[in-house]
Amino acid sequence: MKFFADTADTDAIRELAATGLVDGVTTNPSLIQKSGRDILEVTKEICGIVDGPVSAEVVATDHETMMKEAEVLRKIADNIAIKVPLTVDGLKTCKKLTDDGTMVNVTLCFTANQALLAGKAGASFISPFVGRHDDIGYDGMNLISDIRLIYDNYDFRTEILVASVRHPIHILESAKLGADVATMPPDVILKLFNHPLTASGLEAFLSDWEKTGQTIG
Ligand code: E4P
């Protein structure tokens, strides 16, 4: 399963990229706003940090203007994936862009039928928002298993990119269900490393090692 960083914070992306575990980045208008930076400038910087897909989202709601915005965004770098909302105009834009060989991430997916539409529109990635589903009392992970089943039934190439991730259980479940990608806020990626027994075990090993008086090398 690929790991994407769900942030436009370039310091955090650089730090995570150094672990070798970051396969791509997703941004959205809210994350750009949070960064306080110009979308073109910050996205270009992100594309220089990671080799994998970097999602940059259009903000128009009509097909023609989405295409114009996509033109601007895709010129930023070769690894840009244009992010479009799951609307009629968004999927029209998706079809046009993917027919031209541009990567497209279809966002704001909340049903498996919507994911079916995105698959038919040739999306490179579908972004089901699991956390926002949980927020309103549904089990967001059901969406992932339904989409996996449907995409496998028909051999869709669209990658399932689990979005709106809130905690490590979302990652565990995504991996068990065979999601292709999970995009995570930096703090969730860091939480995956943690276990109290790892920390206390390491502390005990180091303390015993010190008593040996030895060094390695
Ligand atoms: C990423 O592509 C999505 O925009 C993001 O994961 C949404 O997350 P949120 O529900 O925490 O805003």
Side-chain angles (χ1 to χ4, degrees):
M1 188 169 75
K2 285 174 254 183
F3 281 14
F4 287 3
D6 196 21
T7 182
D9 176 340
T10 50
D11 288 340
I13 295 169
R14 237 179 235 105
E15 205 176 304
L16 291 167
T19 64
L21 297 176
V22 177
D23 304 299
V25 171
T26 50
T27 66
N28 62 34
S30 305
L31 292 170
I32 297 294
Q33 186 269 332
K34 199 171 160 194
S35 78
R37 296 180 58 184
D38 173 80
I39 181 169
L40 299 183
E41 180 223 355
V42 72
T43 309
K44 195 177 169 66
E45 187 175 336
I46 295 169
C47 288
I49 303 171
V50 297
D51 295 331
V54 174
S55 293
E57 189 161 340
V58 298
V59 288
T61 53
D62 66 286
H63 170 62
E64 269 183 24
T65 321
M66 280 183 187
M67 285 303 295
K68 283 186 192 145
E69 291 179 354
E71 258 330 297
V72 174
L73 295 173
R74 74 174 166 184
K75 284 201 189 104
I76 295 174
D78 290 341
N79 53 337
I80 284 287
I82 303 296
K83 212 170 175 193
V84 298
L86 210 152
T87 59
V88 172
D89 288 71
L91 291 192
K92 214 166 141 187
T93 305
C94 171
K95 180 88 181 80
K96 191 116 204 258
L97 290 171
T98 51
D99 281 352
D100 276 1
T102 301
M103 281 187 288
V104 176
N105 175 358
V106 177
T107 189
L108 290 167
C109 170
F110 291 94
T111 71
N113 276 340
Q114 289 180 319
L116 176 58
L117 294 175
K120 286 178 70 66
S124 320
F125 303 100
I126 181 67
S127 288
F129 276 37
V130 295
R132 292 193 195 186
H133 243 212
D134 294 353
D135 290 345
I136 58 160
Y138 290 91
D139 182 354
M141 296 316 297
N142 284 340
L143 191 52
I144 306 304
S145 54
D146 284 350
I147 300 172
R148 181 74 283 157
L149 178 68
I150 291 168
Y151 280 6
D152 289 349
N153 280 349
Y154 298 101
D155 229 359
F156 281 113
R157 297 281 171 86
T158 304
E159 294 188 49
I160 303 173
L161 192 171
V162 182
S164 187
V165 162
R166 304 264 195 265
H167 47 67
I169 300 293
H170 280 148
I171 304 308
L172 177 65
E173 292 301 320
S174 299
K176 282 158 72 174
L177 292 169
D180 302 285
V181 191
T183 190
M184 298 162 246
D187 70 301
V188 174
I189 300 184
L190 293 173
K191 278 180 191 163
L192 298 177
F193 287 88
N194 295 341
H195 194 280
L197 293 179
T198 305
S200 60
L202 181 60
E203 205 181 310
F205 283 155
L206 294 181
S207 152
D208 290 342
W209 180 250
E210 206 178 322
K211 288 174 205 148
T212 71
Q214 300 178 50
T215 55
I216 298 176

